[in-house]
Amino acid sequence: MVKRVLVTGVTGFIGTVLTEKLLQQGYLVRGMGRRSEPVLPPGGVTTAEKTWQHPNFEYHQGDVTDLESVRRGVAGCHAVIHLAAYANNWCQEKRVFEWINIDGTRNVLRAVKEHPVEKVVCTSSIVTLGPTPKGVVGDESMPRQSERCFTDYERTKLQSEREILEWVEKEQIPAVIVNPTRVYGPGQLSESNSVVVVMDMYERGIFPFLVNFGKNLGNYVLVEDVAQGLILAMEQGRVGERYILGSEENITLRDLYEYVDTFRGRQGFKFPLWKFWPMVVAYTLWGFAEVTGVYPPITPGWVKTFTTDGAFSCGKAQRELGYRPTPVREGLRKTYDWIQILRKKG
């Protein structure tokens, strides 16, 4: 029997790639989005429009903050992959983070309780594990070093994770949590794909800054790997477990820029910058945003996140799910080539 999978957040950066992979692997897909029909944000090259016309794709208009629409989306499905989230750095209405990231997840779990499924995969983020100490590569068993969160997104995703695990224990919900690292790759040009924006700006000489001297480690993962990891978690993930979806290599911002230099065949200007100055700019922009409502390009929380180490291992997903991430150099090269195609198309 062909299985039907509900994907919330289907029009997002990861959702569009995930839907294509699910259809390629023979699943029926019910994609849930807030608009009356799926509409892509501007920018980017994607096959999403073609995917949404696939005979095995069904679009369901719904909002995770509306329990009744979630119930209708879950009904008749064998599994749910929950992607919908408010992942932006800032919002003037602070409750939006709670409404979508916490209340929305609760609604998915409530709907699954009423309409049981084989598996519900809840997509969280690597930020819920917190920064890693110097010289330490974290994994799913690493306790957070501090309860302090840098952003409202991190705070609400952390609370959401804890509630998911409570639902697993108390309500026997067959949930699995995945924690993607810093996602990048061909698809959409949005805040969720900020790594691509940074690569493009650096190559054009617009953003040559090495924040905190570019020394902090991070883990970067190709969006296609995240999509495949979500499917593997749905098929093989153990209920109540978390799986980090990342790459095998942790790199610095300086490393990222040097990869771009290698791809284009020349060295770009890099300006090392102590984190004090980005923080000054971030607080200024944040304060202006709070007064005027104008969205800030960076926030203090964003700077703090990227000036601490976030070195992680995806070994558990490799061992238990058969997850095989793309090497960082290969993934960044693919992304760089895609950026060049975008430029040629204007």
Side-chain angles (χ1 to χ4, degrees):
M1 178 179 66
V2 179
K3 295 184 178 181
R4 176 176 283 105
V5 180
L6 173 68
V7 177
T8 70
V10 70
T11 61
F13 175 40
I14 299 174
T16 53
V17 179
L18 171 63
T19 298
E20 185 175 3
K21 281 192 175 292
L22 283 167
L23 292 170
Q24 289 172 350
Q25 295 178 31
Y27 286 97
L28 301 173
V29 179
R30 178 180 293 164
M32 181 170 156
R34 289 181 295 172
R35 295 178 180 269
S36 59
E37 60 182 19
V39 177
L40 283 174
V45 176
T46 178
T47 58
E49 290 96 338
K50 183 177 179 180
T51 298
W52 293 333
Q53 295 170 6
H54 194 284
N56 288 341
F57 176 79
E58 169 195 357
Y59 184 73
H60 169 65
Q61 183 182 10
D63 189 324
V64 291
T65 63
D66 174 18
L67 177 57
E68 186 54 41
S69 71
V70 179
R71 286 176 174 141
R72 292 195 303 270
V74 172
C77 289
H78 298 86
V80 177
I81 300 181
H82 177 42
L83 283 166
Y86 191 81
N88 291 10
N89 290 316
W90 179 85
C91 184
Q92 194 165 35
E93 175 52 76
K94 305 306 177 193
R95 267 288 286 159
V96 168
F97 289 96
E98 280 81 9
W99 289 336
I100 299 177
N101 297 345
I102 298 175
D103 296 344
T105 299
R106 285 179 189 150
N107 284 340
V108 170
L109 297 173
R110 287 177 182 134
V112 166
K113 179 68 175 177
E114 297 173 13
H115 302 279
V117 298
E118 295 174 7
K119 194 77 63 65
V120 53
V121 180
C122 297
T123 311
S124 187
S125 168
I126 199 64
V127 297
T128 63
L129 278 73
T132 53
K134 290 291 182 184
V136 174
V137 176
D139 61 20
E140 295 85 349
S141 65
M142 183 189 78
R144 277 185 67 97
Q145 303 301 301
S146 169
E147 286 297 302
R148 183 180 58 134
C149 294
F150 293 144
T151 65
D152 288 314
Y153 173 70
E154 178 182 349
R155 174 180 58 81
T156 52
K157 293 300 278 188
L158 178 61
Q159 183 176 337
S160 176
E161 269 195 29
R162 289 170 174 171
E163 291 198 17
I164 292 165
L165 295 176
E166 288 179 5
W167 278 75
V168 170
E169 181 180 357
K170 296 178 181 179
E171 303 293 340
Q172 304 301 304
I173 297 295
V176 175
I177 297 171
V178 296
N179 299 83
T181 59
R182 299 175 185 175
V183 187
Y184 71 92
Q188 296 178 11
L189 290 177
S190 63
E191 194 164 348
S192 299
N193 200 4
S194 59
V195 175
V196 168
V197 176
V198 169
M199 287 175 64
D200 182 50
M201 291 177 69
Y202 168 67
E203 189 188 10
R204 292 186 288 144
I206 298 175
F207 191 81
F209 302 110
L210 288 169
V211 180
N212 204 27
F213 298 94
K215 65 182 181 180
N216 295 105
L217 286 169
N219 192 286
Y220 298 81
V221 61
L222 188 63
V223 64
E224 294 174 6
D225 293 343
V226 174
Q228 188 57 43
L230 287 164
I231 296 172
L232 290 169
M234 177 185 69
E235 295 173 338
Q236 303 178 48
R238 287 189 291 136
V239 171
E241 294 293 323
R242 293 192 300 175
Y243 296 94
I244 293 173
L245 301 181
S247 59
E248 294 182 301
E249 181 184 358
N250 294 286
I251 66 172
T252 65
L253 182 60
R254 182 181 290 275
D255 294 329
L256 179 67
Y257 285 175
E258 288 180 354
Y259 274 125
V260 174
D261 290 340
T262 300
F263 302 151
R264 66 181 176 177
R266 60 183 175 83
Q267 289 289 316
F269 172 71
K270 304 173 186 66
F271 188 80
L273 197 65
W274 185 38
K275 67 179 179 181
F276 171 80
W277 294 112
M279 285 298 294
V280 169
V281 172
Y283 271 110
T284 301
L285 293 172
W286 172 79
F288 184 73
E290 290 292 304
V291 173
T292 65
V294 176
Y295 194 88
I298 62 172
T299 62
W302 184 90
V303 176
K304 291 174 184 177
T305 299
F306 284 89
T307 53
T308 55
D309 282 352
F312 290 94
S313 166
C314 59
K316 181 178 177 180
Q318 290 176 294
R319 293 189 303 272
E320 296 191 12
L321 306 180
Y323 171 71
R324 297 292 178 263
T326 303
V328 174
R329 181 188 178 92
E330 182 182 330
L332 291 175
R333 176 80 223 200
K334 180 176 183 177
T335 304
Y336 177 84
D337 292 342
W338 173 73
I339 292 173
Q340 306 315 303
I341 294 172
L342 282 187
R343 285 189 184 169
K344 290 178 182 177
K345 292 191 174 184

